[in-house]
Amino acid sequence: MSAIEFHPLTFVDERDGVVVGRPDTESYAVLPHDGAALLRRLAAGHPADEAAHWYLGEFGESVDIGDFVSTLRELGFVREGPQPTATPSRPRMLRLGAWTFSATAWIAYTALVVTCAAMTATHPRVRPHADAVFFTPSLVAVQLVLAFAQLPAVAWHEFFHVLAGRRLGLPTRLSVSRRLFFVVVEAHLDGLYSVPRKKRYLPFLAGMLADLLLFSGLTLVGAAGTGWACRLALAVAYTVVLRLVWQFYVFLRTDLYYVFTTLLGCGDLHGATSDYLRRRASRLPGLRRLTADAGGGGDVGAESAWSERDRRMAPWFALLTVAGVGFLLATAVLALVPLLVGFATRLGPALAHGTADGARFWDSATSVGLFAAEFTLLILVSRREASQSAGTDSR
């Protein structure tokens, strides 16, 4: 059997195996160390039969080399056809990524954050609080402006993820998609699997850095005066704080979750923990049937679906998940209740004492209508997508 030609591959050693992949197509797989060694031999130009013989002598076991090569083809690692291997292109914005995280930039970031901290310490007016959201008497303006302000703010967060990846020469990218009826911006960081773990922390944390810088800048703008632009800056800054707090809900696979799992050397800690909790819940009489119907009642698949490291850390992460749910509920109450009270104290008097020809009455009525329309649309779209998903699963 002749030698097999491969696309340029990366090999990154992990605790439970070797991550092998093609950064150009973002196709990655975790192979055991012996499997990665066999792939290295094939990629070095040794014929498949010779590589299989070497594997038998090296590890004392035979290997189905045909099945192994077939799997590599499915992953897209094998170069098909006579065309020459394409030279990986230099990713754009590499210089911008390097400058964004240069020593000079870090000095500027530190100065900005320290100035913001000093301003919030000495000026209580600019500290994050729910009342800052109401930068204008018009509740409709508050709802619409803050809603539309989230897209560029989130894009700024995700763009820092991309730049941190481009700094490493990786093809990280942004995409715009839809969740229910919300437009979302997402950064794709699969290329990080081609670099050592110690280089992944900054790309994972870059979004939080972007949020911190945005909050600091908006706070300083808000501290400059009491005009509508300054009040708007403080209102948006409050929403940025809420997104920063969200990152600490690690059980929801936020940016800090990936930092956490990278530090622990886990591959799919969330999946292993979910399976662990389902299997524990299946032992409870009232939940046994429910978890069995959900596909989580058996232990056979769980023993092989996750790495040893994931299974070992799952019980500890389960405790963190339970505590995290409590933290989520507590922070949601602290953040959302003041906002709801703020809306209620403004809506109630305007609707109860306003007149049909008064601007405040119609502004409040329109605000209630927007709330109702958004809530209704959320339910309708959720049900439609759930039914479409159920139909797809049944086919």
Side-chain angles (χ1 to χ4, degrees), residues 159-222:
F159 188 55
F160 260 58
H161 283 306
V162 170
L163 289 179
R166 293 296 175 91
R167 167 179 166 270
L168 299 175
L170 302 175
T172 50
R173 67 188 190 279
L174 283 179
S175 68
V176 180
S177 58
R178 178 183 64 86
R179 289 179 185 170
L180 299 178
F181 57 89
F182 300 102
V183 177
V184 295
V185 181
E186 296 177 304
H188 297 268
L189 304 175
D190 290 344
L192 291 177
Y193 290 116
S194 65
V195 300
R197 286 181 177 270
K198 64 181 180 180
K199 294 186 177 181
R200 301 175 194 172
Y201 295 110
L202 180 57
F204 287 143
L205 291 170
M208 293 184 68
L209 170 63
D211 288 339
L212 181 60
L213 297 177
L214 180 59
F215 168 77
S216 299
L218 290 171
T219 299
L220 293 181
V221 171

Side-chain angles (χ1 to χ4, degrees), residues 103-124:
T104 302
W106 281 110
I107 293 173
Y109 299 158
T110 302
L112 176 62
V113 173
V114 170
T115 304
C116 172
M119 187 63 66
T120 55
T122 56
H123 294 72

